[in-house]
């Protein structure tokens, strides 16, 4: 069977997941590497048929003196050749990491999404943010999460589309390359003579993610499963389908057991909540905490502790969660709130 072209795969991904519509404005993260150059080239071609407006964005992280400036000059030059203006942001990510208590990787990601969001805010029309994560990235994400003890939702990996929510609003983040493997991207860049730049730090096992990509995955591929990437991507798709169905059930049950809801406090009927399957009840708890501001660090141990007080009629009882959030059971109600 003839192998599909990258152009065709991306187009089918866009159509299947409704990622882009005619007339959209696309804020495109353009580092100058193979992935982003491939996506840039494909979207520029699609823009003619779909009347797309492409707005490239480049972030100079100032983490590789000389090379960072080379990458910036390359990207800006490519954009000029296509009659596009590249919006460049220069951010000292090492200083950001030190001042905000995060890793260099985390600072780089924050700088990029801040730049994407600021650019998107300044544009008109139906604006979406496109990033160039590919099928290999998906496989790495699933394995990385598995090693860290993820739940079943985490096995779904990254989504084709998600909302980037900020205080000033939100934008769709789309991943049109998610069905394309890195080897096909490299072939595409070579055939199209895109001549992407190379970030040498990607070839150094200095971060956990790099070690997984450079050391663990090749070992698994060589010694255990030559189709490890296909297997991990297949797992992500199965988990994503299951996740979508389960969350549909969660939404329905959430409304059924809900008593009242404000931006600071959510109250459920204790008996109805207690009768639900653990898988549904735990996700209702995650959704409720997310609604009032706790979007991470809700551990399985804390949820299990909450199960114990939700499941009995005696009360009142409280289980504390990170950052002063809590669940309280009293008078037949389960209250999700934050201590003030």
């Amino acid at each position: 069977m003839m192998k599909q072209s990258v152009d065709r795969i991306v187009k089918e991904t866009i159509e299947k997941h409704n990622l882009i519509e005619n007339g959209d404005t696309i804020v495109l993260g353009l580092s100058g590497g193979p992935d982003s150059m491939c996506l840039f080239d494909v979207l520029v071609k699609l823009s003619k048929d779909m009347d797309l407006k492409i707005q490239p964005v480049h972030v100079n992280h100032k983490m590789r003196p000389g090379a960072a400036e080379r990458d910036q000059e390359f990207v800006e030059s490519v954009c000029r050749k296509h009659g596009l203006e590249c919006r460049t942001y220069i951010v000292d990510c090492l200083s950001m990491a030190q001042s905000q208590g995060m890793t260099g990787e985390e600072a780089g990601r924050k700088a990029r999404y801040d730049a994407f969001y600021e650019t998107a805010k300044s544009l008109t029309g139906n604006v979406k943010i496109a990033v160039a994560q590919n099928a290999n990235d998906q496989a790495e994400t699933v394995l990385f999460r598995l090693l860290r003890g993820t739940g079943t939702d985490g096995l779904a990996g990254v989504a084709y589309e998600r909302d980037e929510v900020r205080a000033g609003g939100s934008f769709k983040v789309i991943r049109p390359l998610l069905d394309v493997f890195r080897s096909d991207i490299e072939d595409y860049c070579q055939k199209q003579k895109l001549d992407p730049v190379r970030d040498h730090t990607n070839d150094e096992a200095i971060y956990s993610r790099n070690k997984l990509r450079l050391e663990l995955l090749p070992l698994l591929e060589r010694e255990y499963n030559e189709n490890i990437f296909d297997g991990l991507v297949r797992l992500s798709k199965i988990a994503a389908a299951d996740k979508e169905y389960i969350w549909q059930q969660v939404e329905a049950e959430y409304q059924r057991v809900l008593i009242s809801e404000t931006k600071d406090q959510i109250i459920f009927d204790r008996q109805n909540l207690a009768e639900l399957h653990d898988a549904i009840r735990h996700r209702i708890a995650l959704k409720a905490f997310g609604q009032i501001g706790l979007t991470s660090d809700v551990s399985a141990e804390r949820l299990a502790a909450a199960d114990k007080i939700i499941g009995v009629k005696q009360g009142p009882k409280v289980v504390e969660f990170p950052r002063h959030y809590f669940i309280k059971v009293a008078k037949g109600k389960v209250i999700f709130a934050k201590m003030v």
Side-chain angles (χ1 to χ4, degrees):
M1 185 172 66
M2 184 175 292
K3 194 174 184 180
Q4 279 190 309
S5 68
V6 168
D7 306 71
R8 170 52 59 182
I9 295 172
V10 172
K11 188 174 182 181
E12 288 185 357
T13 298
I14 288 171
E15 292 173 350
K16 180 178 179 180
H17 300 281
N18 196 30
L19 300 183
I20 299 175
E21 299 174 356
N22 289 346
D24 281 353
T25 297
I26 309 297
V27 173
L28 173 62
L30 189 58
S31 68
D35 299 342
S36 67
M37 285 299 295
C38 172
L39 183 56
F40 174 79
D41 195 69
V42 172
L43 289 183
V44 166
K45 292 175 182 175
L46 281 177
S47 67
K48 299 171 184 176
D49 294 328
M50 299 184 68
D51 190 29
L52 304 179
K53 301 175 183 64
I54 309 296
Q55 176 57 70
V57 173
H58 178 77
V59 179
N60 179 342
H61 300 91
K62 295 190 69 175
M63 296 179 73
R64 296 175 296 120
E69 287 66 39
R70 174 209 65 189
D71 294 355
Q72 177 183 333
E73 183 179 345
F74 169 76
V75 166
E76 291 173 345
S77 174
V78 168
C79 290
R80 283 195 298 270
K81 289 177 182 177
H82 284 86
L84 298 171
E85 175 195 5
C86 179
R87 293 201 188 179
T88 298
Y89 294 78
I90 300 175
V91 183
D92 188 339
C93 288
L94 287 179
S95 295
M96 178 192 293
Q98 292 171 356
S99 64
Q100 299 188 26
M102 57 178 65
T103 67
E105 282 182 297
E106 292 168 338
R109 185 184 188 283
K110 183 178 187 306
R112 289 192 297 276
Y113 278 90
D114 285 349
F116 300 156
Y117 184 78
E118 288 303 314
T119 301
K121 275 201 312 182
S122 70
L123 302 174
T124 59
N126 192 30
V127 183
K128 294 173 182 174
I129 298 168
V131 293
Q133 286 166 300
N134 60 49
N136 287 65
D137 294 322
Q138 182 72 296
E140 292 167 14
T141 297
V142 171
L143 182 57
F144 192 70
R145 290 181 180 179
L146 183 62
L147 293 174
R148 292 193 164 190
T150 187
T152 53
D153 283 3
L155 294 178
V158 295
Y160 290 94
E161 178 182 277
R162 70 170 179 84
D163 290 323
E164 176 73 8
V165 181
R166 301 292 182 96
S170 67
F171 292 95
K172 296 289 184 184
V173 176
I174 59 173
R175 299 179 173 96
L177 275 186
L178 210 51
D179 291 324
V180 185
F181 283 98
R182 188 168 291 135
S183 58
D184 295 322
I185 289 171
E186 294 281 358
D187 288 345
Y188 181 91
C189 289
Q190 184 176 8
K191 290 175 182 176
Q192 301 299 320
K193 297 181 172 56
L194 301 182
D195 195 25
V197 295
R198 306 285 171 172
D199 181 350
H200 68 84
T201 62
N202 289 332
D203 299 320
E204 299 174 356
I206 54 177
Y207 300 118
S208 296
R209 187 70 178 247
N210 281 22
K211 290 179 181 179
L212 184 146
R213 185 179 69 252
L214 298 172
E215 299 174 356
L216 179 56
L217 272 165
L219 172 66
L220 294 174
E221 186 176 35
R222 184 174 63 252
E223 301 291 341
Y224 296 93
N225 182 359
E226 63 181 10
N227 297 312
I228 185 68
F229 287 95
D230 292 301
L232 288 169
V233 169
R234 183 168 60 252
L235 172 60
S236 75
K237 292 181 184 298
I238 294 169
D242 290 350
K243 177 182 176 182
E244 181 180 10
Y245 174 75
I246 292 172
W247 275 97
Q248 287 173 358
Q249 308 312 305
V250 170
E251 293 295 335
E253 294 293 351
Y254 184 98
Q255 296 303 322
R256 187 178 69 82
V257 303
L258 180 66
I259 293 176
S260 66
E261 182 176 36
T262 69
K263 64 182 181 67
D264 301 313
Q265 179 177 269
I266 297 177
I267 303 175
F268 299 103
D269 178 84
R270 187 204 66 79
Q271 184 65 38
N272 287 335
L273 190 61
E275 291 173 352
L276 293 173
H277 190 284
D278 290 357
I280 302 297
R281 185 172 56 256
H282 291 171
R283 286 171 172 82
I284 285 177
L286 292 173
K287 175 178 170 64
F289 274 131
Q291 297 282 84
I292 59 175
L294 181 61
T295 58
S296 62
D297 301 325
V298 180
S299 70
E301 290 78 13
R302 291 289 85 195
L303 290 174
D307 284 343
K308 293 180 180 179
I309 67 170
I310 293 171
V312 297
K313 294 181 180 179
Q314 296 85 355
K317 295 182 179 179
V318 175
V319 173
E320 295 182 1
F321 283 76
R323 296 189 284 283
H324 308 294
Y325 287 87
F326 65 90
I327 292 176
K328 178 179 179 180
V329 176
K331 297 180 180 180
K333 298 176 181 178
V334 180
I335 303 166
F336 289 71
K338 185 178 182 180
M339 298 176 189
V340 293

